[in-house]
């Protein structure tokens, strides 16, 4: 069974970088799926951040593209999110998920999510 | 970017009744449309992909229809556990985009 787990600091200071890692078990991430990050501010809806393929190919939300970098570590079966220059507006639950096969797709497996708060 | 609109912010339905949720895309997305259910404090769960295909383990009371720009999620007989927020998502184009969500609450 495919399982995903987010990890990383839960509190980040304004202007610093938010860094999260998603560890995947039950499936090799160097198979044919994209892997994505989605966030949800408290009480609000879902926002797709970006997705990465095992080759390193990435797609980003244009509204975040200038601040986001995704990376992938196939040897450890995990992928990561870096979001730079954070503000309070970046406070959210961050989810990782399995994306589509070879291209954009439905997000069929999700991590439980981790709340990251931006505050001094 | 494709804008997804769920016109019903809240839907009040009695247990056992049918719920019909709508989702509109600002341009055609073919059948590349998914529906998710999110219960409080939980991650979203994939219900429907390809506009009408139920994901693994999803009960038959959940049905999806539509293509192009107009889509519908129908819950044929609402159970207690179905009161939740539902999101549509298009994946026809990058960036993927979600609707704002429809909260299904008990009447």
């Amino acid at each position: 069974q495919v399982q995903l787990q987010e990890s990383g600091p839960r509190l980040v200071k304004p202007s610093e970088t938010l860094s999260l890692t998603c560890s995947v078990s039950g499936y090799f991430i160097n198979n044919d799926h994209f892997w994505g990050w989605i966030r949800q501010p408290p009480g609000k809806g879902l926002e797709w951040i970006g997705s990465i393929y095992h080759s390193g190919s990435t797609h980003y939300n244009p509204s975040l593209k200038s601040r986001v970098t995704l990376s992938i570590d196939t040897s450890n079966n995990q992928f990561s999110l870096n979001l730079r220059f954070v503000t309070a507006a970046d406070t959210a639950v961050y989810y990782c998920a399995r994306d589509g096969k070879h291209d954009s797709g439905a997000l069929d497996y999700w991590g439980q999510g981790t709340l990251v708060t931006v505050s001094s | 970017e494709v804008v997804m609109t769920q016109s019903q912010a809240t839907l009040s339905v009695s247990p056992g009744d049918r719920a019909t949720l709508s989702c509109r895309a600002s341009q055609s997305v073919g059948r590349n449309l998914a529906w998710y259910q999110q219960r409080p404090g939980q991650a979203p769960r994939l219900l429907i992909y390809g506009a009408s295909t139920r994901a693994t383990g999803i009960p038959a009371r959940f049905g999806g229809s539509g293509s192009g720009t107009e889509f519908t999620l129908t819950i044929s007989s609402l159970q207690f556990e179905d009161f939740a927020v539902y999101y549509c998502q298009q994946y026809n184009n990058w960036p993927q985009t979600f609707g704002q969500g429809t909260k299904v609450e008990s009447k």
Side-chain angles (χ1 to χ4, degrees):
Chain A
Q1 183 177 347
V2 183
Q3 292 186 309
L4 297 89
Q5 178 69 57
E6 303 90 351
S7 60
R10 307 298 173 91
L11 180 65
V12 182
K13 290 183 168 55
S15 80
E16 295 190 346
T17 297
L18 180 160
S19 296
L20 294 173
T21 295
C22 182
S23 299
V24 181
S25 59
Y27 193 86
F28 290 115
I29 65 169
N30 59 0
N31 282 347
D32 42 12
H33 279 267
F34 272 84
W35 299 89
W37 289 95
I38 303 92
R39 70 180 183 178
Q40 184 172 38
K44 296 190 177 180
L46 301 168
E47 179 181 36
W48 175 77
I49 299 170
S51 295
I52 187 166
Y53 200 57
H54 63 77
S55 64
S57 173
T58 53
H59 294 275
Y60 295 123
N61 188 322
S63 69
L64 297 169
K65 186 173 183 177
S66 64
R67 298 193 292 130
V68 172
T69 301
L70 301 189
S71 59
I72 194 161
D73 179 359
T74 55
S75 61
N76 287 306
N77 223 43
Q78 59 189 28
F79 60 104
S80 298
L81 163 70
N82 276 358
L83 179 65
R84 298 176 291 279
F85 308 117
V86 297
T87 69
D90 295 309
T91 294
V93 176
Y94 286 77
Y95 296 100
C96 58
R98 191 175 78 168
D99 204 326
K101 224 173 194 183
H102 304 300
D103 204 346
S104 179
L107 303 160
D108 57 357
Y109 291 95
W110 293 65
Q112 65 186 26
T114 187
L115 174 62
V116 179
T117 301
V118 178
S119 175
S120 55
Chain B
E1 166 175 325
V2 179
V3 177
M4 305 301 294
T5 301
Q6 295 180 248
S7 55
Q8 308 140 305
T10 305
L11 198 60
S12 297
V13 185
S14 298
D17 284 356
R18 173 186 294 258
T20 303
L21 288 70
S22 62
C23 174
R24 173 176 292 175
S26 61
Q27 64 190 71
S28 177
V29 297
R31 293 181 61 81
N32 294 311
L33 189 285
W35 289 94
Y36 300 85
Q37 177 193 67
Q38 188 177 33
R39 297 175 177 140
Q42 295 187 14
R45 175 174 72 144
L46 177 65
L47 297 176
I48 301 285
Y49 64 94
S52 62
T53 303
R54 281 191 303 279
T56 303
I58 301 303
R61 64 180 181 274
F62 291 93
S65 62
S67 66
T69 62
E70 300 283 344
F71 300 89
T72 300
L73 174 70
T74 301
I75 311 171
S76 60
S77 176
L78 264 166
Q79 306 298 302
F80 173 77
E81 62 267 26
D82 300 334
F83 292 104
V85 180
Y86 293 83
Y87 295 93
C88 61
Q89 173 224 13
Q90 71 80 22
Y91 52 89
N92 190 61
N93 303 99
W94 301 103
Q96 302 175 1
T97 46
F98 290 92
Q100 310 95 309
T102 294
K103 181 179 181 181
V104 177
E105 65 175 23
S106 180
K107 192 183 234 182

